[in-house]
Amino acid sequence: IACARFQAITFPCDYIRKEAEAIFPPVTRLAHTVRYPLEMPLLPTAEEKMAARQQLNLPLDRPVIGNAGWLIPRKRFDVFLQTAAKILARHPDALFVVAGDGPEREKLEALAAALGITLSLRWLGWQAEMTPFYRALDVLLFNSEWDALGLTPLEAISHGVPAVCSVVNGGLGEIIDSDRVGFLLPTHDVDALADRVIHLLKHRNEAAALGLAGRAHVEAVCRPGPIVEWHRNALLGNIISQGNGDWKFQPPAAPEKNRRRVAVLFHRVGPYHFARIQAAAKVLDTTLIEIFKRDEVYAWDPIVGADGFKRLT
């Protein structure tokens, strides 16, 4: 159905694109890998890092290792806790924090008690704003049985936090593609994960350099600009596949003759409607259709004229 209806089908990573192509080979001619866009936050200062810990009621003088997500089986927070126990046996001042909640919470709390790590663990629950959480971390420890492309490690890395990860099925290896930008295992090797976290805690300069290298790499792969440009060209019909999920732009069509036409219907045009139509008209042959020039519901001044588009009232 999708292949008959659409001119392009996008996937956030090669991993699931290849799965789709294996399930239904004809999808290959329409398949494109288009990454998640990610805006880079400013790197936190030492003062901002301390403020974030104070906001979350975390100690200022202990190394903090964390993970975030929905507490469900495939997110493998059990691996996080088992790795934490290994780390605490050799680095007893470490503190582990979990942002998120879910149906596995009670079972995971019982596991933490059985492992004897409850006093070195904080359950933060759902966070409306994740920036303080990422700023508070020294290391992200992310584990998953299946994630197309987990956003938690990408967001942590964007804050300059070094990431230690294990993902059995997923496309994270397309971003963390070398030990220069992060640490990623295809199995949940608890001993190897613990060794890597402890190494980073003991070598702070190396950990900081890894966080910065990872951040630069994520920024290069997930820059919003090229991703926006892909969608703009796709809507113009200027995109063609090269196979293997790659894509390129074909020369633009002649200005008016072959431009895609769209009509947008509004009950009554207000300022933000007008702005949207102006934007659409830059790439599409656009007609604005409004039912009424004015009504008794909205106290807008009439928006007159047509900037680059046709208008019918």
Side-chain angles (χ1 to χ4, degrees):
I1 291 171
C3 287
R5 178 167 294 187
F6 301 110
Q7 295 175 319
I9 301 172
T10 67
F11 302 85
C13 61
D14 293 337
Y15 183 87
I16 57 171
R17 176 181 57 78
K18 290 176 181 177
E19 279 191 330
E21 292 173 350
I23 292 167
F24 189 63
V27 79
T28 303
R29 66 184 177 84
L30 304 179
H32 305 272
T33 298
V34 182
R35 308 287 179 194
Y36 293 139
L38 196 63
E39 293 279 4
M40 289 293 112
L42 295 175
L43 285 172
T45 64
E47 292 76 14
E48 288 171 332
K49 186 180 183 76
M50 293 301 101
R53 290 195 178 187
Q54 289 174 330
Q55 181 177 338
L56 296 172
N57 199 27
L58 300 176
L60 306 182
D61 57 349
R62 296 175 66 178
V64 176
I65 301 99
N67 192 13
W70 193 14
L71 304 185
I72 55 176
R74 72 174 175 87
K75 291 294 188 177
R76 296 310 303 266
F77 279 90
D78 59 316
V79 175
F80 177 85
L81 297 178
Q82 291 161 7
T83 305
K86 293 278 186 179
I87 295 168
L88 286 165
R90 296 158 56 190
H91 211 302
D93 64 334
L95 181 71
F96 295 83
V97 296
V98 175
D101 213 331
E104 290 284 291
R105 171 74 175 265
E106 187 174 335
K107 185 183 295 186
L108 291 168
E109 288 178 336
L111 175 60
L115 291 169
I117 64 172
T118 300
L119 295 179
S120 296
L121 182 64
R122 302 285 189 276
W123 303 93
L124 302 179
W126 292 117
Q127 299 295 301
E129 170 53 56
M130 288 296 290
T131 295
F133 171 77
Y134 290 125
R135 285 181 172 179
L137 299 184
D138 290 302
V139 177
L140 179 88
L141 176 59
F142 177 83
N143 316 104
S144 175
E145 202 67 22
W146 190 96
D147 265 292
L149 189 62
L151 279 179
T152 296
L154 299 189
E155 291 176 345
I157 292 171
S158 76
H159 284 82
V161 178
V164 176
C165 309
S166 62
V167 178
V168 177
N169 302 288
L172 186 59
E174 298 164 32
I175 308 296
I176 303 179
D177 55 5
S178 80
D179 288 348
R180 294 183 302 101
V181 298
F183 184 75
L184 175 64
L185 292 177
T187 60
H188 301 305
D189 186 333
V190 172
D191 290 321
L193 292 167
D195 286 345
R196 187 60 178 172
V197 172
I198 290 171
H199 178 86
L200 293 173
L201 294 181
K202 288 181 176 179
H203 300 85
R204 293 304 183 96
N205 290 338
E206 183 179 333
L210 180 66
L212 292 176
R215 172 185 160 92
H217 184 61
V218 167
E219 183 175 17
V221 174
C222 299
R223 284 197 315 275
I227 297 168
V228 170
E229 184 67 8
W230 186 92
H231 286 90
R232 191 184 76 84
N233 276 278
L235 290 170
L236 286 170
N238 293 338
I239 211 148
I240 56 177
S241 177
Q242 294 180 250
N244 296 321
D246 295 331
W247 42 267
K248 65 179 181 180
F249 301 136
Q250 63 186 9
E256 290 296 330
K257 184 177 178 182
N258 295 319
R259 289 220 305 176
R260 302 292 180 88
R261 293 190 298 166
V262 61
V264 185
L265 179 67
F266 287 125
H267 169 77
R268 181 197 167 188
V269 173
Y272 57 91
H273 302 118
F274 194 87
R276 292 173 183 173
I277 301 303
Q278 281 180 305
K282 292 178 181 178
V283 294
L284 300 167
D285 182 354
T286 304
T287 299
L288 165 62
I289 302 173
E290 61 179 345
I291 308 303
F292 302 103
K293 282 187 176 180
R294 58 183 60 83
D295 61 19
E296 296 178 351
V297 178
Y298 298 104
W300 295 321
D301 292 330
I303 308 297
V304 299
D307 186 0
F309 55 87
K310 303 179 187 69
R311 182 168 181 174
L312 176 65
T313 303

